[in-house]
PDB file of all heavy atoms in Angstrom:
ATOM      1  N   ILE D  25     109.305 117.475 184.851  1.00  0.00           N
ATOM      2  CA  ILE D  25     108.728 117.658 183.513  1.00  0.00           C
ATOM      3  C   ILE D  25     108.231 116.346 182.924  1.00  0.00           C
ATOM      4  O   ILE D  25     107.200 116.276 182.311  1.00  0.00           O
ATOM      5  CB  ILE D  25     109.785 118.337 182.597  1.00  0.00           C
ATOM      6  CG1 ILE D  25     109.988 119.782 183.043  1.00  0.00           C
ATOM      7  CG2 ILE D  25     109.410 118.248 181.148  1.00  0.00           C
ATOM      8  CD1 ILE D  25     111.194 120.464 182.478  1.00  0.00           C
ATOM      9  N   LEU D  26     108.955 115.259 183.237  1.00  0.00           N
ATOM     10  CA  LEU D  26     108.512 113.988 182.789  1.00  0.00           C
ATOM     11  C   LEU D  26     107.197 113.571 183.494  1.00  0.00           C
ATOM     12  O   LEU D  26     106.295 113.026 182.856  1.00  0.00           O
ATOM     13  CB  LEU D  26     109.585 112.898 183.117  1.00  0.00           C
ATOM     14  CG  LEU D  26     109.450 111.548 182.445  1.00  0.00           C
ATOM     15  CD1 LEU D  26     109.398 111.661 180.942  1.00  0.00           C
ATOM     16  CD2 LEU D  26     110.632 110.687 182.871  1.00  0.00           C
ATOM     17  N   GLU D  27     107.051 113.927 184.764  1.00  0.00           N
ATOM     18  CA  GLU D  27     105.814 113.661 185.490  1.00  0.00           C
ATOM     19  C   GLU D  27     104.683 114.552 184.973  1.00  0.00           C
ATOM     20  O   GLU D  27     103.547 114.043 184.812  1.00  0.00           O
ATOM     21  CB  GLU D  27     106.082 113.931 186.957  1.00  0.00           C
ATOM     22  CG  GLU D  27     104.780 113.670 187.815  1.00  0.00           C
ATOM     23  CD  GLU D  27     104.365 112.208 187.850  1.00  0.00           C
ATOM     24  OE1 GLU D  27     105.155 111.315 187.607  1.00  0.00           O
ATOM     25  OE2 GLU D  27     103.158 111.992 188.100  1.00  0.00           O
ATOM     26  N   TRP D  28     104.986 115.747 184.616  1.00  0.00           N
ATOM     27  CA  TRP D  28     103.996 116.663 184.009  1.00  0.00           C
ATOM     28  C   TRP D  28     103.498 116.107 182.695  1.00  0.00           C
ATOM     29  O   TRP D  28     102.277 116.141 182.448  1.00  0.00           O
ATOM     30  CB  TRP D  28     104.598 118.094 183.805  1.00  0.00           C
ATOM     31  CG  TRP D  28     103.579 119.123 183.347  1.00  0.00           C
ATOM     32  CD1 TRP D  28     102.911 119.956 184.088  1.00  0.00           C
ATOM     33  CD2 TRP D  28     103.175 119.350 181.974  1.00  0.00           C
ATOM     34  NE1 TRP D  28     102.046 120.677 183.369  1.00  0.00           N
ATOM     35  CE2 TRP D  28     102.246 120.366 182.008  1.00  0.00           C
ATOM     36  CE3 TRP D  28     103.554 118.835 180.744  1.00  0.00           C
ATOM     37  CZ2 TRP D  28     101.603 120.902 180.880  1.00  0.00           C
ATOM     38  CZ3 TRP D  28     102.928 119.351 179.611  1.00  0.00           C
ATOM     39  CH2 TRP D  28     101.945 120.313 179.695  1.00  0.00           C
ATOM     40  N   LEU D  29     104.366 115.599 181.852  1.00  0.00           N
ATOM     41  CA  LEU D  29     103.976 115.056 180.606  1.00  0.00           C
ATOM     42  C   LEU D  29     103.099 113.778 180.831  1.00  0.00           C
ATOM     43  O   LEU D  29     102.100 113.573 180.127  1.00  0.00           O
ATOM     44  CB  LEU D  29     105.189 114.667 179.774  1.00  0.00           C
ATOM     45  CG  LEU D  29     105.931 115.912 179.154  1.00  0.00           C
ATOM     46  CD1 LEU D  29     107.324 115.459 178.686  1.00  0.00           C
ATOM     47  CD2 LEU D  29     105.112 116.533 178.076  1.00  0.00           C
ATOM     48  N   THR D  30     103.486 112.950 181.781  1.00  0.00           N
ATOM     49  CA  THR D  30     102.732 111.743 182.074  1.00  0.00           C
ATOM     50  C   THR D  30     101.341 112.141 182.590  1.00  0.00           C
ATOM     51  O   THR D  30     100.320 111.510 182.122  1.00  0.00           O
ATOM     52  CB  THR D  30     103.471 110.930 183.130  1.00  0.00           C
ATOM     53  OG1 THR D  30     104.792 110.547 182.619  1.00  0.00           O
ATOM     54  CG2 THR D  30     102.732 109.619 183.429  1.00  0.00           C
ATOM     55  N   GLN D  31     101.232 113.077 183.477  1.00  0.00           N
ATOM     56  CA  GLN D  31      99.948 113.507 184.069  1.00  0.00           C
ATOM     57  C   GLN D  31      99.048 114.116 183.000  1.00  0.00           C
ATOM     58  O   GLN D  31      97.830 114.078 183.178  1.00  0.00           O
ATOM     59  CB  GLN D  31     100.158 114.439 185.250  1.00  0.00           C
ATOM     60  CG  GLN D  31     100.823 113.820 186.409  1.00  0.00           C
ATOM     61  CD  GLN D  31      99.949 112.704 187.039  1.00  0.00           C
ATOM     62  OE1 GLN D  31      98.739 112.852 187.069  1.00  0.00           O
ATOM     63  NE2 GLN D  31     100.597 111.692 187.466  1.00  0.00           N
ATOM     64  N   ASN D  32      99.602 114.694 181.983  1.00  0.00           N
ATOM     65  CA  ASN D  32      98.799 115.369 180.942  1.00  0.00           C
ATOM     66  C   ASN D  32      98.579 114.509 179.718  1.00  0.00           C
ATOM     67  O   ASN D  32      98.212 115.051 178.656  1.00  0.00           O
ATOM     68  CB  ASN D  32      99.510 116.688 180.543  1.00  0.00           C
ATOM     69  CG  ASN D  32      99.306 117.729 181.610  1.00  0.00           C
ATOM     70  OD1 ASN D  32      98.236 118.260 181.816  1.00  0.00           O
ATOM     71  ND2 ASN D  32     100.343 118.026 182.407  1.00  0.00           N
ATOM     72  N   GLY D  33      98.822 113.238 179.843  1.00  0.00           N
ATOM     73  CA  GLY D  33      98.368 112.318 178.807  1.00  0.00           C
ATOM     74  C   GLY D  33      99.433 111.895 177.767  1.00  0.00           C
ATOM     75  O   GLY D  33      99.162 111.245 176.824  1.00  0.00           O
ATOM     76  N   ALA D  34     100.707 112.302 178.008  1.00  0.00           N
ATOM     77  CA  ALA D  34     101.733 111.919 177.037  1.00  0.00           C
ATOM     78  C   ALA D  34     102.163 110.492 177.081  1.00  0.00           C
ATOM     79  O   ALA D  34     102.897 110.035 176.244  1.00  0.00           O
ATOM     80  CB  ALA D  34     103.000 112.836 177.213  1.00  0.00           C
ATOM     81  N   LEU D  35     101.666 109.769 178.039  1.00  0.00           N
ATOM     82  CA  LEU D  35     101.925 108.280 178.048  1.00  0.00           C
ATOM     83  C   LEU D  35     101.061 107.545 177.093  1.00  0.00           C
ATOM     84  O   LEU D  35     101.507 106.591 176.476  1.00  0.00           O
ATOM     85  CB  LEU D  35     101.723 107.772 179.491  1.00  0.00           C
ATOM     86  CG  LEU D  35     101.948 106.271 179.717  1.00  0.00           C
ATOM     87  CD1 LEU D  35     103.364 105.965 179.504  1.00  0.00           C
ATOM     88  CD2 LEU D  35     101.498 105.893 181.070  1.00  0.00           C
ATOM     89  N   PHE D  36      99.863 108.054 176.854  1.00  0.00           N
ATOM     90  CA  PHE D  36      98.901 107.330 176.003  1.00  0.00           C
ATOM     91  C   PHE D  36      98.875 107.844 174.598  1.00  0.00           C
ATOM     92  O   PHE D  36      98.546 107.093 173.696  1.00  0.00           O
ATOM     93  CB  PHE D  36      97.559 107.388 176.665  1.00  0.00           C
ATOM     94  CG  PHE D  36      97.516 106.926 178.067  1.00  0.00           C
ATOM     95  CD1 PHE D  36      97.371 107.788 179.156  1.00  0.00           C
ATOM     96  CD2 PHE D  36      97.639 105.544 178.294  1.00  0.00           C
ATOM     97  CE1 PHE D  36      97.389 107.288 180.427  1.00  0.00           C
ATOM     98  CE2 PHE D  36      97.686 105.056 179.605  1.00  0.00           C
ATOM     99  CZ  PHE D  36      97.538 105.966 180.695  1.00  0.00           C
ATOM    100  N   THR D  37      99.103 109.134 174.428  1.00  0.00           N
ATOM    101  CA  THR D  37      99.093 109.736 173.047  1.00  0.00           C
ATOM    102  C   THR D  37     100.229 110.697 172.940  1.00  0.00           C
ATOM    103  O   THR D  37     100.753 111.216 173.920  1.00  0.00           O
ATOM    104  CB  THR D  37      97.775 110.489 172.813  1.00  0.00           C
ATOM    105  OG1 THR D  37      97.659 111.537 173.738  1.00  0.00           O
ATOM    106  CG2 THR D  37      96.561 109.553 172.859  1.00  0.00           C
ATOM    107  N   ALA D  38     100.623 111.006 171.719  1.00  0.00           N
ATOM    108  CA  ALA D  38     101.630 112.026 171.422  1.00  0.00           C
ATOM    109  C   ALA D  38     100.993 113.384 171.838  1.00  0.00           C
ATOM    110  O   ALA D  38      99.819 113.658 171.534  1.00  0.00           O
ATOM    111  CB  ALA D  38     102.033 111.991 170.003  1.00  0.00           C
ATOM    112  N   LEU D  39     101.763 114.213 172.492  1.00  0.00           N
ATOM    113  CA  LEU D  39     101.259 115.451 173.037  1.00  0.00           C
ATOM    114  C   LEU D  39     102.053 116.618 172.494  1.00  0.00           C
ATOM    115  O   LEU D  39     103.222 116.611 172.553  1.00  0.00           O
ATOM    116  CB  LEU D  39     101.367 115.383 174.569  1.00  0.00           C
ATOM    117  CG  LEU D  39     100.778 116.520 175.375  1.00  0.00           C
ATOM    118  CD1 LEU D  39      99.266 116.537 175.244  1.00  0.00           C
ATOM    119  CD2 LEU D  39     101.148 116.365 176.812  1.00  0.00           C
ATOM    120  N   GLU D  40     101.355 117.603 171.897  1.00  0.00           N
ATOM    121  CA  GLU D  40     101.999 118.818 171.500  1.00  0.00           C
ATOM    122  C   GLU D  40     102.074 119.718 172.706  1.00  0.00           C
ATOM    123  O   GLU D  40     101.081 120.045 173.285  1.00  0.00           O
ATOM    124  CB  GLU D  40     101.218 119.445 170.340  1.00  0.00           C
ATOM    125  CG  GLU D  40     101.960 120.554 169.674  1.00  0.00           C
ATOM    126  CD  GLU D  40     101.270 121.023 168.401  1.00  0.00           C
ATOM    127  OE1 GLU D  40     100.379 120.235 167.890  1.00  0.00           O
ATOM    128  OE2 GLU D  40     101.567 122.120 167.969  1.00  0.00           O
ATOM    129  N   VAL D  41     103.278 120.142 173.095  1.00  0.00           N
ATOM    130  CA  VAL D  41     103.468 120.866 174.319  1.00  0.00           C
ATOM    131  C   VAL D  41     103.934 122.284 174.108  1.00  0.00           C
ATOM    132  O   VAL D  41     104.603 122.585 173.075  1.00  0.00           O
ATOM    133  CB  VAL D  41     104.439 120.155 175.273  1.00  0.00           C
ATOM    134  CG1 VAL D  41     103.904 118.811 175.689  1.00  0.00           C
ATOM    135  CG2 VAL D  41     105.773 120.028 174.676  1.00  0.00           C
ATOM    136  N   LEU D  69     113.596 108.692 176.635  1.00  0.00           N
ATOM    137  CA  LEU D  69     112.489 108.646 177.563  1.00  0.00           C
ATOM    138  C   LEU D  69     111.272 109.356 176.873  1.00  0.00           C
ATOM    139  O   LEU D  69     110.090 109.150 177.253  1.00  0.00           O
ATOM    140  CB  LEU D  69     112.797 109.274 178.892  1.00  0.00           C
ATOM    141  CG  LEU D  69     113.749 108.505 179.754  1.00  0.00           C
ATOM    142  CD1 LEU D  69     114.133 109.330 180.957  1.00  0.00           C
ATOM    143  CD2 LEU D  69     113.176 107.195 180.157  1.00  0.00           C
ATOM    144  N   LEU D  70     111.580 110.198 175.923  1.00  0.00           N
ATOM    145  CA  LEU D  70     110.517 110.877 175.136  1.00  0.00           C
ATOM    146  C   LEU D  70     110.795 110.630 173.665  1.00  0.00           C
ATOM    147  O   LEU D  70     112.003 110.497 173.276  1.00  0.00           O
ATOM    148  CB  LEU D  70     110.570 112.385 175.390  1.00  0.00           C
ATOM    149  CG  LEU D  70     110.157 112.893 176.754  1.00  0.00           C
ATOM    150  CD1 LEU D  70     110.283 114.395 176.779  1.00  0.00           C
ATOM    151  CD2 LEU D  70     108.770 112.446 177.115  1.00  0.00           C
ATOM    152  N   GLN D  71     109.753 110.637 172.876  1.00  0.00           N
ATOM    153  CA  GLN D  71     109.857 110.606 171.452  1.00  0.00           C
ATOM    154  C   GLN D  71     109.713 112.014 170.953  1.00  0.00           C
ATOM    155  O   GLN D  71     108.872 112.736 171.394  1.00  0.00           O
ATOM    156  CB  GLN D  71     108.862 109.641 170.838  1.00  0.00           C
ATOM    157  CG  GLN D  71     108.995 108.241 171.290  1.00  0.00           C
ATOM    158  CD  GLN D  71     107.794 107.363 170.875  1.00  0.00           C
ATOM    159  OE1 GLN D  71     106.867 107.833 170.314  1.00  0.00           O
ATOM    160  NE2 GLN D  71     107.891 106.099 171.175  1.00  0.00           N
ATOM    161  N   ILE D  74     106.375 115.653 168.545  1.00  0.00           N
ATOM    162  CA  ILE D  74     105.332 115.814 169.498  1.00  0.00           C
ATOM    163  C   ILE D  74     105.636 114.801 170.563  1.00  0.00           C
ATOM    164  O   ILE D  74     105.842 113.620 170.294  1.00  0.00           O
ATOM    165  CB  ILE D  74     103.971 115.489 168.846  1.00  0.00           C
ATOM    166  CG1 ILE D  74     103.719 116.513 167.698  1.00  0.00           C
ATOM    167  CG2 ILE D  74     102.840 115.593 169.842  1.00  0.00           C
ATOM    168  CD1 ILE D  74     102.470 116.238 166.928  1.00  0.00           C
ATOM    169  N   TYR D  75     105.763 115.238 171.749  1.00  0.00           N
ATOM    170  CA  TYR D  75     106.322 114.440 172.860  1.00  0.00           C
ATOM    171  C   TYR D  75     105.409 113.354 173.337  1.00  0.00           C
ATOM    172  O   TYR D  75     104.212 113.487 173.482  1.00  0.00           O
ATOM    173  CB  TYR D  75     106.748 115.330 174.011  1.00  0.00           C
ATOM    174  CG  TYR D  75     107.826 116.297 173.615  1.00  0.00           C
ATOM    175  CD1 TYR D  75     107.564 117.601 173.307  1.00  0.00           C
ATOM    176  CD2 TYR D  75     109.141 115.830 173.571  1.00  0.00           C
ATOM    177  CE1 TYR D  75     108.558 118.468 172.950  1.00  0.00           C
ATOM    178  CE2 TYR D  75     110.151 116.707 173.154  1.00  0.00           C
ATOM    179  CZ  TYR D  75     109.852 117.995 172.825  1.00  0.00           C
ATOM    180  OH  TYR D  75     110.830 118.879 172.446  1.00  0.00           O
ATOM    181  N   ARG D  76     106.044 112.189 173.578  1.00  0.00           N
ATOM    182  CA  ARG D  76     105.305 111.049 174.140  1.00  0.00           C
ATOM    183  C   ARG D  76     106.278 110.346 175.084  1.00  0.00           C
ATOM    184  O   ARG D  76     107.410 110.065 174.770  1.00  0.00           O
ATOM    185  CB  ARG D  76     104.863 110.100 173.051  1.00  0.00           C
ATOM    186  CG  ARG D  76     104.067 108.946 173.615  1.00  0.00           C
ATOM    187  CD  ARG D  76     103.398 108.131 172.523  1.00  0.00           C
ATOM    188  NE  ARG D  76     102.602 107.082 173.184  1.00  0.00           N
ATOM    189  CZ  ARG D  76     102.158 106.057 172.599  1.00  0.00           C
ATOM    190  NH1 ARG D  76     102.399 105.912 171.277  1.00  0.00           N
ATOM    191  NH2 ARG D  76     101.470 105.205 173.204  1.00  0.00           N
ATOM    192  N   VAL D  77     105.771 109.970 176.242  1.00  0.00           N
ATOM    193  CA  VAL D  77     106.647 109.327 177.277  1.00  0.00           C
ATOM    194  C   VAL D  77     106.817 107.815 176.879  1.00  0.00           C
ATOM    195  O   VAL D  77     105.810 107.140 176.458  1.00  0.00           O
ATOM    196  CB  VAL D  77     105.977 109.391 178.650  1.00  0.00           C
ATOM    197  CG1 VAL D  77     106.741 108.611 179.708  1.00  0.00           C
ATOM    198  CG2 VAL D  77     105.843 110.862 179.104  1.00  0.00           C
ATOM    199  N   ASN D  78     108.024 107.346 177.024  1.00  0.00           N
ATOM    200  CA  ASN D  78     108.313 105.954 176.729  1.00  0.00           C
ATOM    201  C   ASN D  78     107.634 105.088 177.812  1.00  0.00           C
ATOM    202  O   ASN D  78     107.845 105.202 178.963  1.00  0.00           O
ATOM    203  CB  ASN D  78     109.849 105.734 176.821  1.00  0.00           C
ATOM    204  CG  ASN D  78     110.240 104.342 176.377  1.00  0.00           C
ATOM    205  OD1 ASN D  78     109.462 103.384 176.417  1.00  0.00           O
ATOM    206  ND2 ASN D  78     111.461 104.254 175.868  1.00  0.00           N
ATOM    207  N   PRO D  79     106.739 104.141 177.376  1.00  0.00           N
ATOM    208  CA  PRO D  79     106.027 103.294 178.342  1.00  0.00           C
ATOM    209  C   PRO D  79     106.931 102.457 179.187  1.00  0.00           C
ATOM    210  O   PRO D  79     106.585 102.142 180.339  1.00  0.00           O
ATOM    211  CB  PRO D  79     105.143 102.443 177.465  1.00  0.00           C
ATOM    212  CG  PRO D  79     105.019 103.093 176.170  1.00  0.00           C
ATOM    213  CD  PRO D  79     106.320 103.908 175.987  1.00  0.00           C
TER     214      PRO D  79
END
Side-chain angles (χ1 to χ4, degrees):
I25 290 167
L26 194 58
E27 181 64 24
W28 185 93
L29 289 166
T30 302
Q31 293 296 322
N32 285 287
L35 180 64
F36 305 107
T37 61
L39 186 66
E40 191 170 340
V41 297
L69 290 174
L70 294 178
Q71 297 170 357
I74 298 176
Y75 295 100
R76 183 171 183 194
V77 175
N78 187 333

